[in-house]
Amino acid sequence: MTPTTHPDSIARRRLDTPDVDVVVVGAGFAGLYLLYRLRSLGFSTKVIESADDVGGTWYWNRYPGARCDIESIDYSYSFDPEIEKEWQWSERYATQPEILRYLGYVADKHDLRRDIQFSTRVESATWDDNASLWRVRTNNGDAITCRFYAMATGCLSLPKTPDVEGVKRFRGASYYTGRWPHAGVDFSGKRVGVIGTGSSAIQSIPIIARQAAELTVFQRTPNFSRPAYNGPIAAEKKAAFATDPAAYRHAAKWSRAGVPVEPTLMQALRVSAAQRLAAYEAAYAAGDLLALGNAFADIGANPEANETVGEFLRGKIRAIVHDPETADALCPKDHFYGTKRPCLDSGYFETFNLPHVRLVDLRKDPIKTITETGIDTASRSFALDAIVFATGFDAMTGAIVAVDIKGRDGLALADKWNDGPKTYLGLMTTDFPNFFMITGPGSPSVLSNMAVSIEQHVDWVGACLAYMRERHLDVIEPTPLAEAAWGQHVNDCADITLFPRASSWYMGANVPGKPRVFLPYIGGVDRYRKACDEVVQRDYLGFAFDGAAGARCNDGVICRLQPDVAMLIDIMAELGLPAIDTLWVADARAFSVAMAAERPPGPEVGAIADGVLPGAAGALPYRLYRPAQPGPHPIVVYFHGGGWVLGSADSDDPFCRDLCVRSNAIVVSVDYRHAPENRFPAAADDGFAAVRWIAANAESLGGEPEQLAVCGWSAGGNIAAVVCQRARDAGGPRIAGQVLVTPATDCDFTRASYVTNGDGYLLTSALIHWFWDHYADPADRENPKASPLRARNLYGLPPALVVTCEFDPLRDEGAAYAAAMAAAGVSVRHLDCRGQIHTSVISVDMILSAAGARAEIGNALRQFFGTSPAAEQSALRVALLSSRAESAV
Ligand code: FAD
Ligand code: NAP
């Protein structure tokens, strides 16, 4: 992207000298490291913290049992090798006091406290556009100006106001896990009620139960939890870290969740039940927060796969808890495993076997009100001496919008984020220049080891400020395009997972009135870091700068591929596979057969039968997919892809199954003759011969007469298009519609999509040349039977759905064919799939982000056939329910 000049350069404006370069709000993990980093870069920095000491989360959350759930070796700073040597964690999951001591030790070691103003709350921050600085005000009446303003205020720092009727009426003692008294609380002999069963409650309940005379747990949603098996740090882990801390940290930084774990590609439903159980038992025994979710690749995306973990954990709960009714109430059933933050516990479920502990299932018996003496549910009154509110936080955005932040033209951040936060990379937001968030919404943050994510953000911000200083730039702001596209990418990532389906705090669902949007970035710490690094490498793509050196704007979008597509391309690159166009045809065919064998199989259909039909020059094999519902059905004749050289009924089998289920039609996948043995026009002639024969024999195939459509992918799309033209010219058979999926329609290789997408997206322009060279002589290529776009006229063709993909070399010729047919009066729908590549749409169960396109194809076919939408919808629902759901790569 060419940098452009910002019209309103601050070079022409007055720049006041601020009190400090940077004001940082918060002195937790993030604020402390930000102070250290900025100071070491030579920026004057003032930190403001409402607590009277450092620690953040670990200052406030002093409830009994509070400890980390990411192992302490991992949940610690990496920026100072001396600290790594000097500080030894006493156990695997350190307690809150130990983590607080650690943060105090880091603050002392680097003399951080001298730049921290404690016991002071920042109340407002206002951007002064004339002076290009922030004006910050505190509850003490301080007014401070700074060039840059950074919120290190934490994702989980603002406790949620409990939305329970009568909270203020209670005359006993009330405690909030997120604001626990420093002196501690002795519950001995007390009747205690705990509201909530999230991580804080699950950690504290077993300990409170040890002291209390009676403990009543008020549970609205049961949570998945499993034992932490806390204890000494495993010798192997210690050794792995001690041997080469830098390598260990590097692996963490480039991992999915900030903990060095090798991801698996194995899918839960592709192993036997016994293998699955063994994997879950091992993960359970590991006492690791991430192990179960990492046991198989599809747990986060495939409902059926996820359900196997859910049932495994429910089995554990039933085995631990003696009373079956209590056990059942403790079993999570309303959300998929991991879509609400799972917990690690120390004897949580066992606590419910104690005689003085009882569970109140608020789903059956909701809280009516808190009274002066206890809690009234719909059916009972509970007398209590103390209530512990473990009711969670206004997560991710709460602490940020709690400060009255005003950007350009007095725009309030709370107003801008009224429908949900909008950020670029979770670091900055448009109209709020020089305002940074550490682990803001739209960054991996709470879905990762926060220590790793915090360091990454701080390093990025530090490097950015240093970059600006070197170049005499004073103001940075993301562009609206970059911000909108990042929001889209964050949603794209979430949408291929099960996470948005849960009423979780990740979705803002725990706070009444909060907009329901998925707040963190789920694409992974590694991919996120790569994106942030790439933004910098591409000269701060998506940012505008201004300053003494002039103004510039490098507008653009990072992460344009759909997330699962990007992942697939990376996996393919890592495999180091040979380029097909460098192989002999026989080897290329063997290679594509081997690749096809590795894919998920696609959904179940009613029946599959192989047969033979007469082609243009001999018998052709075909494979017929029959829907589960009784027929007769319409028929879709399908032509596989493979550049007229490769492919078979096997190669496109999952897609044919998907077509069959979604369209509720018979799919006949025709194995036409291949080049170079049978060059042009063999494939086109076979395609037409096959359609004629299938139309003539529709009833014996179980089909409805006159209800025939064609569909093809890539070279198969080319054949389908040619078949439609030939059927028109020959006066039949009647074709109800055509679905051309990323079709080859022309032999012109100079279109823009060849130039921009010719390399790096699996189908390369070199490979397309290889296909054409094998298929057709240059003299034949302009023949409409090879290049249907070149037909003299396109009138009278069947209605069409043309699917193109943004990052496909064939995109523009597909689009041109759609436009040309439309210009000739054909009813055409052109679906251009954002962020997809040539192979996306047919990659059933692999590219989940293309499931919408597959659904559109099913809809289009049903429309061509004019089948009743209601009847079809219910057939589709039944079929999809009984088939395997789609799973992640
Ligand atoms: P915080 O630690 O929350 O610090 C923010 C600070 O900003 C606070 O001290 C707050 O007082 C201050 N502040 C906020 N607003 C203002 C204002 N307006 N003016 C002045 N000061 C302000 N993450 C993990 O990765 N692993 C774990 O095991 C883990 N365990 C957790 C356990 C608990 C009980 C909780 C609540 C969270 C846990 N987390 C864990 C998440 C944890 O919040 C982060 O790991 C990390 O501590 C966040 O650090 P931070 O500096 O970003 O924010
Ligand atoms: P939480 O996970 O949001 O749990 C809050 C609990 O309170 C939920 O069970 C919730 O029920 C319940 N609740 C809220 N409002 C209620 C109401 N009006 N009536 C009845 N029940 C109500 O909060 P948290 O336990 O403090 O944990 C927050 C996050 O902090 C964790 O997810 C984790 O990221 C972090 N944390 C980590 C650890 C650790 O192990 N290291 C410990 C504590 C916290 P619903 O689910 O129905 O809303």
Side-chain angles (χ1 to χ4, degrees):
M1 189 71 51
T2 321
T4 55
T5 302
H6 197 287
D8 182 23
S9 170
I10 63 160
R12 295 188 298 274
R13 288 183 270 149
R14 183 173 61 91
L15 273 183
D16 284 356
T17 306
D19 299 331
V20 285
D21 292 325
V22 193
V23 163
V24 173
V25 192
F29 249 104
L32 290 176
Y33 179 47
L34 189 53
L35 171 57
Y36 168 84
R37 174 60 58 221
L38 294 175
R39 201 197 262 170
S40 63
L41 288 166
F43 292 102
S44 59
T45 306
K46 182 180 184 99
V47 177
I48 301 175
E49 166 59 61
S50 60
D52 62 12
D53 200 357
V54 299
T57 290
W58 305 102
Y59 172 94
W60 295 108
N61 290 267
R62 297 171 190 241
Y63 60 83
R67 53 174 84 239
C68 53
D69 57 5
I70 296 285
E71 289 198 46
S72 292
I73 281 189
D74 300 302
Y75 185 57
S76 52
Y77 289 123
S78 73
F79 71 87
D80 181 347
E82 271 187 24
I83 295 179
E84 288 184 320
K85 280 205 200 88
E86 287 167 13
W87 187 270
Q88 295 300 318
W89 294 103
S90 68
E91 54 187 336
R92 212 177 155 191
Y93 298 107
T95 58
Q96 171 271 326
E98 186 171 356
I99 302 172
L100 186 59
R101 273 201 307 282
Y102 169 77
L103 292 171
Y105 150 81
V106 173
D108 289 342
K109 182 172 173 72
H110 291 292
D111 189 19
L112 298 177
R113 284 190 176 86
R114 73 177 150 89
D115 285 325
I116 306 177
Q117 182 174 331
F118 290 108
S119 306
T120 307
R121 199 175 61 251
V122 171
E123 293 198 321
S124 70
T126 306
W127 173 249
D128 180 337
D129 211 24
N130 291 321
S132 290
L133 48 72
W134 283 93
R135 300 187 183 281
V136 177
R137 288 188 184 277
T138 73
N139 63 329
N140 294 340
D142 312 309
I144 309 147
T145 57
C146 53
R147 182 76 60 225
F148 301 97
Y149 173 68
M151 294 285 271
T153 42
C155 297
L156 295 159
S157 59
L158 184 71
K160 191 183 89 150
T161 314
D163 43 340
V164 185
E165 160 77 21
V167 172
K168 294 212 170 108
R169 210 177 303 153
F170 186 57
R171 284 208 312 258
S174 295
Y175 303 103
Y176 294 82
T177 50
R179 291 289 180 269
W180 204 258
H182 287 200
V185 181
D186 182 4
F187 289 110
S188 301
K190 300 274 195 303
R191 296 163 303 173
V192 184
V194 175
I195 302 181
T197 46
S199 302
S200 301
I202 281 176
Q203 284 187 330
S204 56
I205 280 168
I207 298 176
I208 295 174
R210 269 182 235 152
Q211 298 172 4
E214 271 178 28
L215 173 62
T216 310
V217 176
F218 295 88
Q219 170 190 276
R220 190 163 64 186
T221 311
N223 235 321
F224 287 108
S225 184
R226 61 194 181 281
Y229 298 122
N230 193 21
I233 302 165
E236 314 82 72
K237 179 132 186 147
K238 248 184 172 166
F241 183 69
T243 311
D244 189 348
Y248 187 95
R249 297 295 196 189
H250 181 83
K253 286 174 183 173
W254 289 98
S255 67
R256 297 235 57 205
V259 178
V261 177
E262 272 299 312
T264 177
L265 290 180
M266 185 62 73
Q267 304 209 341
L269 301 180
R270 299 194 81 191
V271 300
S272 69
Q275 284 171 304
R276 223 166 27 234
L277 182 63
Y280 293 155
E281 289 290 4
Y284 188 83
D288 178 295
L289 185 72
L290 307 173
L292 265 171
N294 285 340
F296 294 101
D298 49 351
I299 286 171
N302 180 338
E304 260 189 272
N306 191 291
E307 189 52 18
T308 61
V309 188
E311 197 40 42
F312 170 80
L313 285 172
R314 285 189 287 271
K316 292 288 182 194
I317 297 170
R318 291 186 197 108
I320 296 171
V321 179
H322 301 160
D323 173 45
E325 202 183 321
T326 306
D328 190 57
L330 286 165
C331 284
K333 297 179 202 101
D334 76 338
H335 63 277
F336 289 108
Y337 173 77
T339 58
K340 291 181 94 159
R341 170 112 173 174
C343 310
L344 279 189
D345 68 84
S346 299
Y348 173 65
F349 293 113
E350 289 82 347
T351 304
F352 292 92
N353 292 332
L354 298 173
H356 66 295
V357 177
R358 68 187 150 194
L359 181 74
V360 177
D361 182 350
L362 299 181
R363 298 274 179 218
K364 289 187 181 150
D365 191 9
I367 294 180
K368 220 165 56 187
T369 184
I370 294 178
T371 64
E372 291 185 348
T373 55
I375 294 179
D376 281 1
T377 62
S379 71
R380 296 181 64 183
S381 285
F382 296 88
L384 301 169
D385 303 309
I387 300 178
V388 174
F389 291 91
T391 42
F393 300 87
D394 184 349
M396 307 281 308
T397 53
I400 299 175
V401 295
V403 175
D404 180 15
I405 302 175
K406 292 218 168 73
R408 280 193 202 285
D409 304 321
L411 176 65
L413 186 63
D415 288 341
K416 176 177 173 181
W417 285 7
N418 201 29
D419 300 329
K422 294 166 188 68
T423 72
Y424 184 35
L425 302 167
L427 277 162
M428 297 196 79
T429 184
T430 307
D431 282 327
F432 295 79
N434 289 6
F435 165 53
F436 294 94
M437 289 160 284
I438 305 302
T439 64
S443 75
S445 56
V446 293
L447 293 175
S448 67
N449 171 0
M450 291 281 285
V452 169
S453 288
I454 285 168
E455 286 194 332
Q456 187 262 342
H457 261 196
V458 167
D459 291 341
W460 194 97
V461 172
C464 174
L465 266 50
Y467 170 95
M468 290 174 68
R469 183 176 54 193
E470 273 166 31
R471 286 159 185 77
H472 307 288
L473 298 166
D474 300 297
V475 179
I476 177 173
E477 186 184 343
T479 68
L481 172 70
E483 179 170 291
W486 183 253
Q488 180 73 63
H489 177 61
V490 170
N491 289 337
D492 286 345
C493 291
D495 287 347
I496 55 171
T497 73
L498 300 169
F499 278 73
R501 302 199 200 179
S503 292
S504 65
W505 60 257
Y506 297 139
M507 291 291 295
N510 64 329
V511 177
K514 196 165 170 174
R516 298 264 179 130
V517 292
F518 192 70
L519 296 165
Y521 176 72
I522 201 170
V525 163
D526 47 355
R527 294 193 161 272
Y528 177 78
R529 183 181 292 270
K530 193 172 159 203
C532 290
D533 289 356
E534 192 184 328
V535 162
V536 174
Q537 280 151 17
R538 293 171 69 182
D539 207 10
Y540 285 88
L541 181 69
F543 284 104
F545 290 98
D546 205 345
R552 55 180 237 229
C553 173
N554 186 13
D555 207 357
V557 171
I558 195 82
C559 296
R560 294 177 62 197
L561 284 170
Q562 289 288 341
D564 43 1
V565 172
M567 204 185 299
L568 179 73
I569 290 176
D570 284 356
I571 291 170
M572 300 292 275
E574 275 165 27
L575 291 175
L577 303 170
I580 292 180
D581 51 283
T582 61
L583 302 178
W584 296 107
V585 167
D587 294 337
R589 286 181 184 151
F591 174 78
S592 70
V593 168
M595 292 300 290
E598 294 300 317
R599 295 160 320 178
E604 292 293 335
V605 298
I608 297 179
D610 287 340
V612 176
L613 56 78
L620 298 178
Y622 70 83
R623 181 168 296 168
L624 185 145
Y625 303 81
R626 201 179 297 288
Q629 296 72 35
H633 299 280
I635 297 180
V636 179
V637 182
Y638 179 78
F639 302 105
H640 65 74
W644 307 282
V645 177
L646 313 174
S648 64
D650 282 342
S651 67
D652 290 28
D653 182 79
F655 184 52
C656 288
R657 290 164 175 268
D658 192 78
L659 272 181
C660 175
V661 170
R662 292 187 191 274
S663 64
N664 198 30
I666 289 171
V667 175
V668 184
S669 175
V670 177
D671 222 350
Y672 51 88
R673 283 171 296 156
H674 285 161
E677 297 86 342
N678 299 285
R679 288 170 67 84
F680 174 84
D685 288 348
D686 278 351
F688 187 47
V691 165
R692 288 169 80 154
W693 183 86
I694 292 165
N697 293 276
E699 285 180 67
S700 62
L701 293 171
E704 293 175 54
E706 299 288 303
Q707 286 282 58
L708 180 141
V710 294
C711 174
W713 166 61
S714 192
N718 170 282
I719 296 169
V722 170
V723 162
C724 289
Q725 293 187 10
R726 292 181 69 175
R728 175 201 59 185
D729 296 344
R734 182 183 172 272
I735 296 178
Q738 49 179 327
V739 175
L740 311 179
V741 183
T742 56
T745 68
D746 195 25
C747 57
D748 175 358
F749 309 130
T750 61
R751 289 192 168 83
S753 56
Y754 270 87
V755 179
T756 53
N757 302 331
D759 197 16
Y761 304 111
L762 302 191
L763 176 65
T764 61
S765 61
L767 181 55
I768 297 170
H769 278 103
W770 188 84
F771 285 139
W772 274 101
D773 289 347
H774 283 301
Y775 182 48
D777 294 337
D780 288 330
R781 292 183 189 174
E782 296 191 10
N783 185 323
K785 280 205 244 172
S787 294
L789 182 59
R790 299 197 180 229
R792 219 174 339 196
N793 61 57
L794 296 172
Y795 76 92
L797 290 174
L801 170 67
V802 180
V803 182
T804 57
C805 288
E806 186 181 1
F807 293 97
D808 180 3
L810 301 186
R811 179 195 66 204
D812 291 350
E813 67 196 67
Y817 193 58
M821 283 195 290
V826 178
S827 164
V828 180
R829 170 136 193 263
H830 175 201
L831 178 68
D832 189 35
C833 302
R834 181 176 52 79
Q836 300 291 359
I837 58 173
H838 186 68
T839 49
S840 292
V841 175
I842 64 138
S843 296
V844 175
D845 288 344
M846 286 173 66
I847 301 301
L848 299 190
S849 56
R854 291 188 281 274
E856 294 279 342
I857 291 170
N859 287 340
L861 287 167
R862 287 199 303 275
Q863 272 172 19
F864 295 153
F865 298 131
T867 37
S868 138
E872 289 297 313
Q873 285 296 350
S874 91
L876 176 68
R877 237 181 350 259
V878 171
L880 283 175
L881 277 176
S882 61
S883 74
R884 285 191 57 247
E886 296 200 279
S887 53
V889 179

